Amino acid sequence: MTMSVVPAKLNESKDKLVLIDQTLIPNEEKFLELDEAEDVWEAIKKLRVRGAPAIGIAAAYGLYVCSLKSEATTVKDFKKDFEEIRNYLATSRPTAVNLFWALDRMTKRFEKEENMSLAEVKEALLDESEKIFREDQAMGKAIGKHGLTLLKPGMGLLTHCNAGGIATSGYGTALAPMYLGDEKGYDFKVYADETRPLLQGSRLTAYELDKAGIDVTVICDDMASQVMKEGKIDAVLVGCDRVAANGDAANKIGTSGVAILAKEYGIPMYVLGPTSTIDMDTPTGDDIEIELRDEEEIGNGFGRRTAPKGVKAYNPAFDVTDAKYITAIITEKGVIKPPYKENIKELF
Ligand code: MRU
């Protein structure tokens, strides 16, 4: 059983983007229907939709539905409106490469169909956005299958942030082997890092695994070392927002610390994601832009002061795990082992 909630989809008449507002989970399951570029931008920026693949899907659908509102009567004028929305959505969040990847795919498809009628161009854009969604579903399942080959029944698994169904279109990436294993009766014991400051682990990973009937225990981020020391963790599984060509991987802040701990305790550290998250134009982790977020997310988390007003807070949303701490990178095409630079190049 996987996540039953699809984080980003089209409504029945295919003219609105439907999102479950992830900032409200687990307290409320509220769906938003959007067709204004500003609202789609805000939803990505504020993490109403989040997780690298889901951001890409929402951006593709969002670009399509927002373009439909253009009053242009020629393909040339429509393209101007389309490009304006695309460029605007591209400024919403900088780290997850899937955002740019999905917007690029939509743009390339537009360019391919440019000589067709306006109605046909719109039809093609709808088709491309739906393809991005469907391909992501297939990728999640394949990532899960490859990931499962590295795991054994009864294992204790640690994950950080949320790289599950709610961050993708169904199976997720890091959580995909957990769902597939569960279908085979693997009986994993999953530990979910709470993931400060926005609690994607305790709010979202615990929510979706619990809903699927998978054994999940929430721990605070600073408990990971102790839980590893107690022998409760056999493997760490995390998602990724951008993997550089040398295998360095950006993921939610805190991931690199977990990776360093895992190495110390001799626990394998797996990074799972679709090949669309590998950015061959980014040579190393140092070239990945790390999103800096509002200080208030730390000092005034969830509407309550957790640090004195006026005290500075530093809030990078992601960190980069050096490739040397990663045991394997698992994509829909299979398991990539070190040396990453050579093996990633070969894959592409
Ligand atoms: O800030 P977020 O919640 O978008 O960060 C999400 C992550 O870091 C995920 O692990 C990553 O995007 C992979 S989701 C399959």
Short mmCIF file of all heavy atoms in Angstrom, two decimals, residues 7-10 17-19 34 36-37 39-41 43-45 49-67 82 85-93 96-107 125 128-130 132-133:
data_model
loop_
_atom_site.label_atom_id
_atom_site.label_comp_id
_atom_site.label_asym_id
_atom_site.label_seq_id
_atom_site.Cartn_x
_atom_site.Cartn_y
_atom_site.Cartn_z
N PRO A 7 -0.12 14.56 -4.17
CA PRO A 7 0.17 15.93 -3.74
C PRO A 7 -0.11 17.01 -4.78
O PRO A 7 -0.41 18.14 -4.42
CB PRO A 7 1.67 15.89 -3.40
CG PRO A 7 2.20 14.74 -4.16
CD PRO A 7 1.10 13.74 -4.26
N ALA A 8 0.02 16.67 -6.08
CA ALA A 8 -0.19 17.68 -7.12
C ALA A 8 -0.83 17.00 -8.33
O ALA A 8 -0.28 16.04 -8.87
CB ALA A 8 1.15 18.30 -7.52
N LYS A 9 -2.02 17.48 -8.71
CA LYS A 9 -2.70 16.89 -9.87
C LYS A 9 -3.58 17.96 -10.53
O LYS A 9 -3.70 19.08 -10.01
CB LYS A 9 -3.54 15.69 -9.45
CG LYS A 9 -4.63 16.03 -8.45
CD LYS A 9 -5.41 14.80 -8.04
CE LYS A 9 -6.50 15.19 -7.05
NZ LYS A 9 -7.25 14.09 -6.51
N LEU A 10 -4.21 17.60 -11.63
CA LEU A 10 -5.15 18.52 -12.26
C LEU A 10 -6.56 18.21 -11.77
O LEU A 10 -6.85 17.05 -11.42
CB LEU A 10 -5.09 18.36 -13.79
CG LEU A 10 -3.82 18.87 -14.48
CD1 LEU A 10 -3.89 18.58 -15.98
CD2 LEU A 10 -3.62 20.36 -14.25
N LEU A 17 -4.75 23.53 -10.94
CA LEU A 17 -3.80 22.68 -10.24
C LEU A 17 -4.37 22.41 -8.85
O LEU A 17 -4.72 23.35 -8.13
CB LEU A 17 -2.45 23.42 -10.14
CG LEU A 17 -1.43 22.87 -9.16
CD1 LEU A 17 -0.94 21.48 -9.59
CD2 LEU A 17 -0.23 23.84 -9.05
N VAL A 18 -4.47 21.13 -8.49
CA VAL A 18 -4.99 20.77 -7.17
C VAL A 18 -3.84 20.30 -6.29
O VAL A 18 -3.13 19.36 -6.64
CB VAL A 18 -6.07 19.66 -7.28
CG1 VAL A 18 -6.64 19.34 -5.90
CG2 VAL A 18 -7.16 20.05 -8.25
N LEU A 19 -3.68 20.95 -5.16
CA LEU A 19 -2.61 20.59 -4.22
C LEU A 19 -3.20 20.29 -2.86
O LEU A 19 -4.15 20.97 -2.45
CB LEU A 19 -1.63 21.76 -4.02
CG LEU A 19 -0.91 22.35 -5.22
CD1 LEU A 19 -0.08 23.56 -4.77
CD2 LEU A 19 0.00 21.31 -5.85
N LEU A 34 -5.67 25.96 -7.80
CA LEU A 34 -4.95 27.16 -8.21
C LEU A 34 -4.89 27.29 -9.73
O LEU A 34 -4.72 26.29 -10.44
CB LEU A 34 -3.51 27.13 -7.67
CG LEU A 34 -3.32 26.75 -6.20
CD1 LEU A 34 -1.84 26.68 -5.87
CD2 LEU A 34 -4.01 27.74 -5.28
N GLU A 36 -3.60 30.77 -10.79
CA GLU A 36 -2.88 32.05 -10.92
C GLU A 36 -1.41 31.79 -10.63
O GLU A 36 -1.07 31.13 -9.64
CB GLU A 36 -3.39 33.06 -9.89
CG GLU A 36 -4.84 33.48 -10.04
CD GLU A 36 -5.08 34.39 -11.25
OE1 GLU A 36 -4.09 34.86 -11.85
OE2 GLU A 36 -6.26 34.60 -11.58
N ALA A 37 -0.54 32.37 -11.48
CA ALA A 37 0.90 32.13 -11.31
C ALA A 37 1.39 32.52 -9.91
O ALA A 37 2.20 31.81 -9.31
CB ALA A 37 1.68 32.90 -12.38
N ASP A 39 -0.20 32.40 -7.13
CA ASP A 39 -0.61 31.40 -6.13
C ASP A 39 0.24 30.13 -6.24
O ASP A 39 0.57 29.50 -5.23
CB ASP A 39 -2.09 31.06 -6.30
CG ASP A 39 -2.97 32.26 -5.99
OD1 ASP A 39 -2.52 33.15 -5.24
OD2 ASP A 39 -4.10 32.32 -6.52
N VAL A 40 0.57 29.74 -7.46
CA VAL A 40 1.41 28.55 -7.65
C VAL A 40 2.80 28.84 -7.09
O VAL A 40 3.39 28.03 -6.36
CB VAL A 40 1.48 28.14 -9.15
CG1 VAL A 40 2.44 26.97 -9.33
CG2 VAL A 40 0.10 27.80 -9.68
N TRP A 41 3.31 30.02 -7.39
CA TRP A 41 4.63 30.45 -6.88
C TRP A 41 4.63 30.42 -5.35
O TRP A 41 5.53 29.87 -4.72
CB TRP A 41 4.93 31.87 -7.38
CG TRP A 41 6.31 32.37 -7.08
CD1 TRP A 41 7.39 32.30 -7.90
CD2 TRP A 41 6.75 33.03 -5.88
NE1 TRP A 41 8.49 32.87 -7.30
CE2 TRP A 41 8.13 33.33 -6.06
CE3 TRP A 41 6.14 33.39 -4.69
CZ2 TRP A 41 8.88 33.97 -5.08
CZ3 TRP A 41 6.91 34.03 -3.71
CH2 TRP A 41 8.26 34.31 -3.92
N ALA A 43 2.66 28.77 -3.36
CA ALA A 43 2.49 27.40 -2.85
C ALA A 43 3.83 26.65 -2.83
O ALA A 43 4.12 25.89 -1.90
CB ALA A 43 1.47 26.64 -3.70
N ILE A 44 4.66 26.90 -3.84
CA ILE A 44 5.98 26.25 -3.88
C ILE A 44 6.89 26.89 -2.83
O ILE A 44 7.52 26.21 -2.02
CB ILE A 44 6.60 26.33 -5.29
CG1 ILE A 44 5.75 25.55 -6.31
CG2 ILE A 44 8.04 25.79 -5.29
CD1 ILE A 44 6.18 25.70 -7.76
N LYS A 45 6.91 28.21 -2.81
CA LYS A 45 7.78 28.95 -1.89
C LYS A 45 7.47 28.60 -0.42
O LYS A 45 8.37 28.39 0.39
CB LYS A 45 7.56 30.45 -2.11
CG LYS A 45 8.37 31.36 -1.23
CD LYS A 45 9.77 31.46 -1.77
CE LYS A 45 10.69 32.16 -0.81
NZ LYS A 45 12.09 31.98 -1.22
N VAL A 49 3.36 22.76 -1.43
CA VAL A 49 3.78 21.58 -2.17
C VAL A 49 5.30 21.59 -2.08
O VAL A 49 5.93 22.62 -2.25
CB VAL A 49 3.28 21.60 -3.64
CG1 VAL A 49 3.80 22.80 -4.42
CG2 VAL A 49 3.65 20.31 -4.36
N ARG A 50 5.88 20.44 -1.75
CA ARG A 50 7.33 20.40 -1.55
C ARG A 50 7.81 18.98 -1.82
O ARG A 50 7.02 18.07 -2.02
CB ARG A 50 7.77 20.94 -0.19
CG ARG A 50 6.91 20.70 1.01
CD ARG A 50 6.81 19.27 1.46
NE ARG A 50 8.09 18.65 1.61
CZ ARG A 50 8.30 17.35 1.53
NH1 ARG A 50 7.30 16.52 1.28
NH2 ARG A 50 9.49 16.82 1.66
N GLY A 51 9.16 18.83 -1.78
CA GLY A 51 9.74 17.57 -2.20
C GLY A 51 10.07 17.74 -3.69
O GLY A 51 9.21 18.16 -4.47
N ALA A 52 11.32 17.42 -4.05
CA ALA A 52 11.81 17.77 -5.39
C ALA A 52 10.89 17.31 -6.54
O ALA A 52 10.49 18.14 -7.37
CB ALA A 52 13.23 17.24 -5.56
N PRO A 53 10.53 16.02 -6.62
CA PRO A 53 9.69 15.62 -7.76
C PRO A 53 8.31 16.30 -7.75
O PRO A 53 7.82 16.70 -8.82
CB PRO A 53 9.56 14.10 -7.60
CG PRO A 53 10.76 13.71 -6.79
CD PRO A 53 10.96 14.85 -5.84
N ALA A 54 7.71 16.45 -6.57
CA ALA A 54 6.37 17.09 -6.50
C ALA A 54 6.44 18.55 -6.91
O ALA A 54 5.51 19.08 -7.54
CB ALA A 54 5.78 16.95 -5.10
N ILE A 55 7.55 19.21 -6.59
CA ILE A 55 7.72 20.61 -7.02
C ILE A 55 7.74 20.66 -8.55
O ILE A 55 7.11 21.51 -9.18
CB ILE A 55 9.02 21.22 -6.43
CG1 ILE A 55 8.91 21.37 -4.91
CG2 ILE A 55 9.33 22.56 -7.07
CD1 ILE A 55 10.21 21.79 -4.22
N GLY A 56 8.47 19.71 -9.16
CA GLY A 56 8.54 19.66 -10.63
C GLY A 56 7.16 19.42 -11.24
O GLY A 56 6.77 20.10 -12.20
N ILE A 57 6.42 18.47 -10.68
CA ILE A 57 5.08 18.15 -11.21
C ILE A 57 4.16 19.37 -11.06
O ILE A 57 3.45 19.76 -12.00
CB ILE A 57 4.50 16.92 -10.47
CG1 ILE A 57 5.32 15.67 -10.81
CG2 ILE A 57 3.02 16.72 -10.81
CD1 ILE A 57 5.08 14.49 -9.88
N ALA A 58 4.19 19.99 -9.88
CA ALA A 58 3.33 21.16 -9.63
C ALA A 58 3.69 22.30 -10.57
O ALA A 58 2.82 23.02 -11.07
CB ALA A 58 3.46 21.61 -8.17
N ALA A 59 4.99 22.47 -10.83
CA ALA A 59 5.42 23.55 -11.72
C ALA A 59 4.94 23.29 -13.15
O ALA A 59 4.49 24.21 -13.84
CB ALA A 59 6.94 23.68 -11.68
N ALA A 60 5.02 22.03 -13.59
CA ALA A 60 4.59 21.70 -14.97
C ALA A 60 3.08 21.90 -15.11
O ALA A 60 2.61 22.59 -16.02
CB ALA A 60 4.98 20.26 -15.30
N TYR A 61 2.32 21.34 -14.19
CA TYR A 61 0.86 21.53 -14.23
C TYR A 61 0.51 23.01 -14.05
O TYR A 61 -0.38 23.54 -14.71
CB TYR A 61 0.19 20.73 -13.10
CG TYR A 61 -0.03 19.26 -13.37
CD1 TYR A 61 -0.01 18.34 -12.31
CD2 TYR A 61 -0.30 18.77 -14.65
CE1 TYR A 61 -0.23 16.98 -12.53
CE2 TYR A 61 -0.52 17.41 -14.87
CZ TYR A 61 -0.48 16.53 -13.81
OH TYR A 61 -0.71 15.20 -14.03
N GLY A 62 1.22 23.65 -13.12
CA GLY A 62 0.95 25.06 -12.83
C GLY A 62 1.21 25.92 -14.06
O GLY A 62 0.41 26.79 -14.41
N LEU A 63 2.32 25.65 -14.72
CA LEU A 63 2.66 26.42 -15.93
C LEU A 63 1.56 26.23 -16.98
O LEU A 63 1.14 27.19 -17.63
CB LEU A 63 4.02 25.95 -16.46
CG LEU A 63 4.53 26.57 -17.75
CD1 LEU A 63 4.60 28.09 -17.64
CD2 LEU A 63 5.93 26.03 -18.09
N TYR A 64 1.08 25.00 -17.09
CA TYR A 64 0.02 24.73 -18.07
C TYR A 64 -1.27 25.48 -17.73
O TYR A 64 -1.79 26.24 -18.55
CB TYR A 64 -0.23 23.21 -18.17
CG TYR A 64 -1.48 22.90 -18.95
CD1 TYR A 64 -1.55 23.15 -20.32
CD2 TYR A 64 -2.62 22.40 -18.31
CE1 TYR A 64 -2.71 22.90 -21.04
CE2 TYR A 64 -3.79 22.15 -19.02
CZ TYR A 64 -3.82 22.41 -20.38
OH TYR A 64 -4.97 22.18 -21.09
N VAL A 65 -1.78 25.30 -16.52
CA VAL A 65 -3.08 25.91 -16.20
C VAL A 65 -3.02 27.45 -16.16
O VAL A 65 -3.96 28.11 -16.58
CB VAL A 65 -3.71 25.38 -14.87
CG1 VAL A 65 -4.02 23.92 -14.95
CG2 VAL A 65 -2.84 25.68 -13.66
N CYS A 66 -1.89 27.98 -15.71
CA CYS A 66 -1.77 29.45 -15.67
C CYS A 66 -1.67 30.00 -17.08
O CYS A 66 -2.21 31.08 -17.37
CB CYS A 66 -0.57 29.88 -14.83
SG CYS A 66 -0.71 29.39 -13.11
N SER A 67 -1.02 29.27 -17.99
CA SER A 67 -0.92 29.72 -19.39
C SER A 67 -2.29 29.75 -20.04
O SER A 67 -2.55 30.58 -20.91
CB SER A 67 -0.02 28.80 -20.20
OG SER A 67 1.25 28.75 -19.64
N PHE A 82 3.50 32.49 -21.80
CA PHE A 82 4.02 31.21 -21.29
C PHE A 82 5.41 31.42 -20.69
O PHE A 82 5.70 30.98 -19.57
CB PHE A 82 4.06 30.21 -22.46
CG PHE A 82 4.74 28.91 -22.15
CD1 PHE A 82 4.02 27.83 -21.64
CD2 PHE A 82 6.10 28.74 -22.39
CE1 PHE A 82 4.65 26.61 -21.37
CE2 PHE A 82 6.73 27.52 -22.12
CZ PHE A 82 6.00 26.46 -21.62
N ILE A 85 5.44 33.33 -17.36
CA ILE A 85 5.03 32.48 -16.22
C ILE A 85 6.15 31.50 -15.87
O ILE A 85 6.48 31.31 -14.71
CB ILE A 85 3.71 31.72 -16.54
CG1 ILE A 85 2.59 32.72 -16.81
CG2 ILE A 85 3.34 30.78 -15.39
CD1 ILE A 85 1.37 32.11 -17.46
N ARG A 86 6.74 30.91 -16.90
CA ARG A 86 7.82 29.95 -16.66
C ARG A 86 8.97 30.61 -15.90
O ARG A 86 9.45 30.08 -14.89
CB ARG A 86 8.33 29.40 -18.00
CG ARG A 86 9.46 28.41 -17.82
CD ARG A 86 10.32 28.30 -19.05
NE ARG A 86 10.96 29.57 -19.36
CZ ARG A 86 11.56 29.84 -20.51
NH1 ARG A 86 11.55 28.94 -21.49
NH2 ARG A 86 12.14 31.01 -20.72
N ASN A 87 9.39 31.78 -16.35
CA ASN A 87 10.52 32.45 -15.70
C ASN A 87 10.18 32.84 -14.26
O ASN A 87 11.03 32.78 -13.37
CB ASN A 87 10.93 33.71 -16.49
CG ASN A 87 11.48 33.33 -17.85
OD1 ASN A 87 11.86 32.18 -18.08
ND2 ASN A 87 11.51 34.29 -18.77
N TYR A 88 8.94 33.21 -14.05
CA TYR A 88 8.50 33.59 -12.71
C TYR A 88 8.49 32.37 -11.78
O TYR A 88 9.04 32.41 -10.67
CB TYR A 88 7.11 34.22 -12.82
CG TYR A 88 6.45 34.55 -11.52
CD1 TYR A 88 7.05 35.41 -10.60
CD2 TYR A 88 5.21 34.01 -11.20
CE1 TYR A 88 6.42 35.72 -9.40
CE2 TYR A 88 4.58 34.32 -10.01
CZ TYR A 88 5.19 35.17 -9.11
OH TYR A 88 4.57 35.46 -7.92
N LEU A 89 7.92 31.27 -12.23
CA LEU A 89 7.86 30.07 -11.39
C LEU A 89 9.27 29.57 -11.06
O LEU A 89 9.52 29.02 -9.99
CB LEU A 89 7.05 28.95 -12.07
CG LEU A 89 5.55 29.20 -12.22
CD1 LEU A 89 4.87 28.01 -12.88
CD2 LEU A 89 4.89 29.50 -10.87
N ALA A 90 10.20 29.78 -11.98
CA ALA A 90 11.59 29.33 -11.78
C ALA A 90 12.28 30.07 -10.63
O ALA A 90 13.32 29.64 -10.14
CB ALA A 90 12.39 29.50 -13.06
N THR A 91 11.68 31.19 -10.17
CA THR A 91 12.30 31.93 -9.06
C THR A 91 11.77 31.49 -7.69
O THR A 91 12.15 32.05 -6.67
CB THR A 91 12.06 33.46 -9.19
OG1 THR A 91 10.64 33.69 -9.09
CG2 THR A 91 12.57 34.00 -10.50
N SER A 92 10.89 30.49 -7.68
CA SER A 92 10.24 30.15 -6.40
C SER A 92 11.19 29.50 -5.39
O SER A 92 11.20 29.88 -4.23
CB SER A 92 9.00 29.27 -6.64
OG SER A 92 9.35 28.15 -7.42
N ARG A 93 11.96 28.50 -5.83
CA ARG A 93 12.94 27.85 -4.93
C ARG A 93 14.17 27.47 -5.76
O ARG A 93 14.02 26.99 -6.88
CB ARG A 93 12.34 26.60 -4.26
CG ARG A 93 11.21 26.90 -3.30
CD ARG A 93 10.83 25.66 -2.50
NE ARG A 93 11.74 25.38 -1.42
CZ ARG A 93 11.70 24.25 -0.70
NH1 ARG A 93 10.82 23.31 -0.98
NH2 ARG A 93 12.55 24.06 0.30
N ALA A 96 16.16 22.48 -5.56
CA ALA A 96 15.70 21.25 -6.23
C ALA A 96 15.75 21.45 -7.75
O ALA A 96 15.07 22.30 -8.31
CB ALA A 96 14.28 20.91 -5.79
N VAL A 97 16.56 20.64 -8.40
CA VAL A 97 16.75 20.81 -9.85
C VAL A 97 15.50 20.38 -10.62
O VAL A 97 15.27 20.83 -11.75
CB VAL A 97 18.01 20.04 -10.32
CG1 VAL A 97 17.77 18.55 -10.36
CG2 VAL A 97 18.48 20.55 -11.67
N ASN A 98 14.65 19.58 -10.00
CA ASN A 98 13.43 19.09 -10.68
C ASN A 98 12.52 20.23 -11.12
O ASN A 98 11.80 20.11 -12.10
CB ASN A 98 12.65 18.16 -9.75
CG ASN A 98 13.53 17.08 -9.17
OD1 ASN A 98 14.53 17.40 -8.53
ND2 ASN A 98 13.20 15.83 -9.40
N LEU A 99 12.55 21.35 -10.38
CA LEU A 99 11.75 22.51 -10.77
C LEU A 99 12.18 22.98 -12.16
O LEU A 99 11.35 23.13 -13.07
CB LEU A 99 11.93 23.63 -9.74
CG LEU A 99 11.35 25.00 -10.10
CD1 LEU A 99 9.83 24.97 -10.12
CD2 LEU A 99 11.82 26.07 -9.11
N PHE A 100 13.47 23.17 -12.34
CA PHE A 100 14.00 23.70 -13.61
C PHE A 100 13.88 22.65 -14.70
O PHE A 100 13.59 22.94 -15.85
CB PHE A 100 15.45 24.16 -13.40
CG PHE A 100 15.58 25.04 -12.20
CD1 PHE A 100 16.06 24.55 -10.99
CD2 PHE A 100 15.14 26.35 -12.24
CE1 PHE A 100 16.13 25.34 -9.86
CE2 PHE A 100 15.20 27.17 -11.12
CZ PHE A 100 15.70 26.66 -9.92
N TRP A 101 14.09 21.40 -14.31
CA TRP A 101 14.00 20.28 -15.25
C TRP A 101 12.58 20.21 -15.84
O TRP A 101 12.41 20.08 -17.05
CB TRP A 101 14.38 19.00 -14.50
CG TRP A 101 14.15 17.74 -15.26
CD1 TRP A 101 15.01 17.15 -16.13
CD2 TRP A 101 12.98 16.90 -15.21
NE1 TRP A 101 14.44 16.00 -16.64
CE2 TRP A 101 13.21 15.83 -16.08
CE3 TRP A 101 11.78 16.96 -14.50
CZ2 TRP A 101 12.27 14.81 -16.28
CZ3 TRP A 101 10.85 15.96 -14.71
CH2 TRP A 101 11.10 14.90 -15.59
N ALA A 102 11.57 20.32 -14.99
CA ALA A 102 10.18 20.21 -15.46
C ALA A 102 9.81 21.43 -16.33
O ALA A 102 9.17 21.29 -17.38
CB ALA A 102 9.23 20.10 -14.27
N LEU A 103 10.23 22.62 -15.89
CA LEU A 103 9.93 23.83 -16.68
C LEU A 103 10.62 23.77 -18.04
O LEU A 103 10.06 24.17 -19.06
CB LEU A 103 10.35 25.09 -15.91
CG LEU A 103 9.56 25.38 -14.61
CD1 LEU A 103 10.18 26.55 -13.86
CD2 LEU A 103 8.07 25.65 -14.90
N ASP A 104 11.84 23.23 -18.05
CA ASP A 104 12.59 23.06 -19.32
C ASP A 104 11.89 22.09 -20.26
O ASP A 104 11.84 22.30 -21.47
CB ASP A 104 13.99 22.50 -19.04
CG ASP A 104 14.96 23.61 -18.75
OD1 ASP A 104 14.53 24.76 -18.71
OD2 ASP A 104 16.15 23.30 -18.54
N ARG A 105 11.40 21.02 -19.68
CA ARG A 105 10.70 20.03 -20.52
C ARG A 105 9.47 20.64 -21.17
O ARG A 105 9.19 20.41 -22.35
CB ARG A 105 10.28 18.82 -19.67
CG ARG A 105 11.25 17.68 -19.86
CD ARG A 105 10.80 16.44 -19.19
NE ARG A 105 9.65 15.81 -19.84
CZ ARG A 105 9.32 14.55 -19.66
NH1 ARG A 105 10.06 13.78 -18.89
NH2 ARG A 105 8.27 14.03 -20.24
N MET A 106 8.73 21.42 -20.40
CA MET A 106 7.54 22.09 -20.94
C MET A 106 7.95 23.06 -22.06
O MET A 106 7.30 23.16 -23.09
CB MET A 106 6.81 22.84 -19.83
CG MET A 106 6.24 21.96 -18.74
SD MET A 106 4.87 20.94 -19.32
CE MET A 106 3.54 22.12 -19.34
N THR A 107 9.06 23.76 -21.84
CA THR A 107 9.52 24.74 -22.83
C THR A 107 9.94 24.03 -24.12
O THR A 107 9.61 24.46 -25.23
CB THR A 107 10.72 25.53 -22.26
OG1 THR A 107 10.32 26.07 -21.01
CG2 THR A 107 11.14 26.66 -23.18
N LEU A 125 1.03 20.88 -24.41
CA LEU A 125 1.52 21.24 -23.07
C LEU A 125 0.82 20.41 -22.00
O LEU A 125 1.44 19.97 -21.03
CB LEU A 125 1.31 22.73 -22.81
CG LEU A 125 2.17 23.67 -23.67
CD1 LEU A 125 1.80 25.13 -23.42
CD2 LEU A 125 3.66 23.45 -23.40
N GLU A 128 2.40 17.00 -22.11
CA GLU A 128 3.74 16.95 -21.51
C GLU A 128 3.65 16.95 -19.98
O GLU A 128 4.37 16.20 -19.32
CB GLU A 128 4.56 18.15 -22.00
CG GLU A 128 6.04 18.04 -21.73
CD GLU A 128 6.74 16.90 -22.47
OE1 GLU A 128 6.25 16.48 -23.53
OE2 GLU A 128 7.77 16.42 -21.97
N SER A 129 2.76 17.79 -19.44
CA SER A 129 2.66 17.84 -17.97
C SER A 129 2.14 16.50 -17.43
O SER A 129 2.61 16.01 -16.41
CB SER A 129 1.77 19.00 -17.52
OG SER A 129 0.46 18.85 -18.03
N GLU A 130 1.22 15.89 -18.15
CA GLU A 130 0.70 14.59 -17.69
C GLU A 130 1.76 13.50 -17.82
O GLU A 130 1.82 12.58 -17.01
CB GLU A 130 -0.58 14.24 -18.45
CG GLU A 130 -1.72 15.18 -18.03
CD GLU A 130 -3.07 14.81 -18.62
OE1 GLU A 130 -3.11 14.45 -19.81
OE2 GLU A 130 -4.07 14.88 -17.88
N ILE A 132 4.99 13.99 -17.47
CA ILE A 132 5.92 14.20 -16.34
C ILE A 132 5.37 13.50 -15.10
O ILE A 132 6.08 12.81 -14.38
CB ILE A 132 6.16 15.71 -16.10
CG1 ILE A 132 7.00 16.29 -17.25
CG2 ILE A 132 6.81 15.98 -14.74
CD1 ILE A 132 7.18 17.80 -17.23
N PHE A 133 4.06 13.64 -14.88
CA PHE A 133 3.42 12.99 -13.73
C PHE A 133 3.52 11.46 -13.83
O PHE A 133 3.96 10.79 -12.90
CB PHE A 133 1.95 13.43 -13.65
CG PHE A 133 1.22 12.82 -12.49
CD1 PHE A 133 1.25 13.41 -11.26
CD2 PHE A 133 0.51 11.63 -12.65
CE1 PHE A 133 0.59 12.83 -10.17
CE2 PHE A 133 -0.14 11.05 -11.58
CZ PHE A 133 -0.11 11.65 -10.33
#
